[in-house]
Amino acid sequence: MADFIIETPKGKWELVCGLEIHCQIVSKSKIFSGASTEFGDDANVNVSFIDAGMPGMLPVLNKECVRQAVKTGLGLNAVINKYSVFSRKNYFYADSPQGYQITQFEYPIVGEGKITVDLSDGTSKDIRIERMHIEQDAAKSIHDINPKKSYVDFNRCGVGLMEIVTKPDFRSPEEVGAFLKKLRSIVRYLGTCDGNMDEGSMRCDASISVRPLGSNELRERAEVKNVNSVKFAMQAVEYEAKRQVELYENGETLKQQTCRFNPATGETKFLRFKEFSDDYRYFPEPDLPPLVLDDAFIEEIRNNLVELPDAKKARFVKELGLTPYDASVLCENKETADFFEEAAKGRDAKKVANWIMGDFFAMLNAKKLPLEKSPISAEKLGRLVDLISKNVINGKTAKDVFAIMAETSQEPEAIVEEKGWKQVTDTSAIEAIVDEVLQSNPDNVAAYKGGKNNLLGWFVGQVMKQSKGTANPAIVNQLLKQKLG
Ligand code: MN
């Protein structure tokens, strides 16, 4: 466990934190209507009568959203509940034209699971998932167009959401960050959520409390709502935990409350007290029957699951000999892992990993390019590594070749040729000379094979002479030994 102990002159405290994450489901249409889920369209163009809450409109469950939820549940190592129920959560707000949200309450589609997070000290920790349910997203309120008015964009209204709830297992901001990154990585691998926190398709609420180190009590908590980046979530948790410690040490108490995180100041800001739990008057949604899944549906999804980051990481360590650290960096997103695998195919995986994590990542960073826009393809990077392995160029020259590739996207071989950077270690060229020398000196070949081993030096001399001194002696030696038996 990574240590995060809040120590003051008065005592030592620990963090107790749980997360709720809303992930927008990747699907063409909304969870209960046929309207498009496209992000970034003009306001209020993707709104059906169902999304607008028109009287008499009946929701129809989108099967694709169910499939995505089951896939995600399997990716969270969780129990899939074959029986789940939709409920109405009643509340009145401008972002919900129905006057209620269709969600799942007592019977969620996904039960308990876990995600393993890797921490900077080399340890791992399991974070338990309590449940995951599916529900409709609300519309988006816009407060910054007009100082006196608020606007509402209903395009988001009715988009499918997966709400993942963890147990209060987090003891450090680092664990919170590692979890969010791992969850994002899993849903992106699965293709069930695009994980873009800055676009709001993955939003995090954190329930934060503190307690004296060593105690098991659970104190009142503050909930920080709708944090939209991994970094902000870590900052919010740290700030809020320290604020609570200060409060307790000043003899005050914390009343259960809701806060907002201000990215500009790095501080949490009080919104409202939660003295009574909200009364949403949940009841089973009368317009939708219980959702019943059969084994065949679940098994078909399970059997077609992609290889997830943990499994891929384990394989890179076991089969390709990478260190766990290198493997986890390369597996963080699927595109990088695929790029690495293509570049490493049939090659020294460690060497390829070093190139990718070193010069290659640095080049993308410097150019501010995403991997898919890389001027150097996986295949060309692999061939550059080949040129080093085959002694065509040395490591130092390879860096120069790489720099040119990054600018021109040229083939590594062409660059070496054009620049005349080839070491005179072209094995096939040397081999031709070796063959010629052996063929024109059959007597000495016979003598060598008869036991005159010291003739090897003479053969080397002949080959060097023929190549006008440009052949690599080590390769000449090696080829001669091979051919003379
Ligand atoms: Mn929710």
Side-chain angles (χ1 to χ4, degrees):
M1 185 172 90
D3 276 348
F4 175 76
I5 295 159
I6 303 168
E7 200 172 345
T8 74
K10 293 183 187 166
K12 291 180 177 177
W13 298 80
E14 80 172 345
L15 166 78
V16 179
C17 172
L19 299 180
E20 287 178 21
I21 301 106
H22 283 90
C23 294
Q24 264 183 12
I25 300 172
V26 170
S27 62
K28 287 198 175 69
S29 52
K30 297 183 180 180
I31 187 167
F32 300 122
S33 84
S36 166
T37 58
E38 193 64 38
F39 179 82
D41 279 354
D42 286 344
N44 296 312
V45 296
N46 301 320
V47 189
S48 75
F49 288 131
I50 294 173
D51 310 319
M54 291 296 172
M57 291 297 119
L58 292 174
V60 178
L61 180 60
N62 180 346
K63 191 172 179 184
E64 182 57 20
C65 291
V66 175
R67 181 184 295 278
Q68 295 286 60
V70 170
K71 211 187 255 188
T72 305
L74 295 172
L76 302 178
N77 308 294
V79 178
I80 306 299
N81 294 325
K82 290 198 278 182
Y83 178 86
S84 63
V85 175
F86 289 99
S87 290
R88 278 193 190 178
K89 179 180 180 180
N90 296 282
Y91 71 95
F92 181 75
Y93 198 70
D95 65 11
S96 172
Q98 291 173 150
Y100 56 84
Q101 179 192 33
I102 303 179
T103 180
Q104 295 184 315
F105 189 51
E106 288 115 322
Y107 301 98
I109 187 169
V110 173
E112 293 189 347
K114 72 173 168 70
I115 287 184
T116 305
V117 296
D118 303 314
L119 302 167
S120 60
D121 64 359
T123 61
S124 302
K125 176 175 174 176
D126 284 348
I127 302 295
R128 293 169 300 158
I129 307 290
E130 189 171 302
R131 57 182 277 159
M132 187 192 90
H133 61 258
I134 50 178
E135 60 188 20
Q136 319 171 279
D137 205 347
K140 192 172 160 53
S141 302
I142 301 159
H143 306 291
D144 55 3
I145 294 180
N146 185 310
K148 290 182 179 164
K149 292 176 182 169
S150 284
Y151 292 84
V152 188
D153 178 1
F154 289 94
N155 284 350
R156 205 179 68 183
C157 194
V159 170
L161 290 177
M162 303 179 280
E163 181 179 333
I164 296 157
V165 182
T166 77
K167 303 265 190 194
D169 284 351
F170 299 96
R171 295 291 170 272
S172 71
E174 189 201 351
E175 291 172 8
V176 168
F179 176 87
L180 288 172
K181 280 191 198 160
K182 192 61 164 285
L183 175 63
R184 186 172 62 187
S185 165
I186 291 170
V187 293
R188 281 179 173 167
Y189 266 71
L190 292 168
T192 55
C193 169
D194 68 26
N196 295 334
M197 293 186 78
D198 53 344
E199 290 180 358
S201 43
M202 191 171 141
R203 315 191 282 269
C204 171
D205 301 342
S207 273
I208 302 152
S209 67
V210 294
R211 65 186 171 199
L213 187 64
S215 111
N216 281 322
E217 65 181 311
L218 289 175
R219 296 195 173 191
E220 292 294 338
R221 56 210 161 92
E223 193 177 14
V224 185
K225 287 278 192 189
N226 278 329
V227 185
N228 68 351
S229 89
V230 174
K231 199 180 101 196
F232 294 160
M234 293 169 71
Q235 283 177 354
V237 168
E238 178 157 359
Y239 179 87
E240 179 57 27
K242 288 180 174 165
R243 184 183 78 86
Q244 291 181 15
V245 167
E246 215 177 290
L247 213 65
Y248 287 127
E249 291 193 340
N250 287 335
E252 295 170 56
T253 54
L254 183 86
K255 280 205 309 195
Q256 196 174 332
Q257 59 192 260
T258 303
C259 310
R260 195 174 69 86
F261 177 68
N262 182 348
T265 60
E267 295 174 359
T268 54
K269 187 170 166 266
F270 172 83
L271 279 181
R272 59 183 175 269
F273 286 119
K274 277 188 101 172
E275 282 166 281
F276 309 100
S277 74
D278 299 301
D279 185 7
Y280 291 120
R281 293 166 292 122
Y282 282 98
F283 61 85
E285 168 58 54
D287 292 337
L288 287 166
L291 173 58
V292 180
L293 306 176
D294 59 37
D295 288 323
F297 179 76
I298 298 168
E299 287 318 304
E300 190 257 331
I301 296 169
R302 192 193 303 275
N303 294 335
N304 289 299
L305 225 49
V306 294
E307 183 183 37
L308 287 166
D310 283 343
K312 204 181 277 291
K313 179 187 160 191
R315 181 166 61 80
F316 283 2
V317 170
K318 190 161 172 261
E319 291 176 12
L320 303 178
L322 298 191
T323 63
Y325 175 78
D326 288 1
S328 61
V329 170
L330 292 169
C331 291
E332 191 171 318
N333 67 68
K334 189 168 178 295
E335 291 70 27
T336 307
D338 290 347
F339 186 96
F340 161 72
E341 277 207 274
E342 193 187 336
K345 202 171 182 186
R347 304 191 169 96
D348 183 332
K350 277 186 187 170
K351 276 187 187 150
V352 174
N354 286 341
W355 270 94
I356 292 179
M357 294 174 60
D359 296 61
F360 184 74
F361 279 172
M363 179 272 296
L364 290 181
N365 265 332
K367 290 179 177 289
K368 296 191 170 61
L369 286 176
L371 180 68
E372 63 270 21
K373 296 246 170 70
S374 167
I376 302 175
S377 68
E379 206 243 327
K380 282 180 190 165
L381 185 65
R383 276 171 18 218
L384 176 65
V385 175
D386 285 344
L387 292 179
I388 310 162
S389 307
K390 289 177 184 157
N391 280 320
V392 177
I393 50 174
N394 59 36
K396 194 183 161 296
T397 310
K399 287 190 182 278
D400 297 333
V401 175
F402 180 88
I404 297 173
M405 290 167 78
E407 295 311 315
T408 65
S409 297
Q410 265 178 290
E411 313 280 331
E413 298 86 351
I415 296 167
V416 171
E417 194 69 43
E418 190 182 297
K419 296 281 178 185
W421 283 345
K422 208 176 214 169
Q423 283 186 9
V424 191
T425 47
D426 181 338
T427 310
S428 57
I430 297 172
E431 190 173 11
I433 302 172
V434 168
D435 287 344
E436 202 189 312
V437 167
L438 295 181
Q439 269 163 31
S440 45
N441 295 284
D443 295 348
N444 280 344
V445 172
Y448 178 90
K449 287 186 174 167
K452 284 191 80 176
N453 288 345
N454 57 359
L455 271 173
L456 185 69
W458 182 83
F459 281 115
V460 172
Q462 291 301 303
V463 175
M464 292 307 286
K465 203 168 139 192
Q466 290 257 359
S467 74
K468 299 187 176 70
T470 59
N472 178 312
I475 294 177
V476 174
N477 258 292
Q478 186 199 340
L479 282 172
L480 279 167
K481 277 182 192 160
Q482 255 174 37
K483 302 215 176 226
L484 287 166

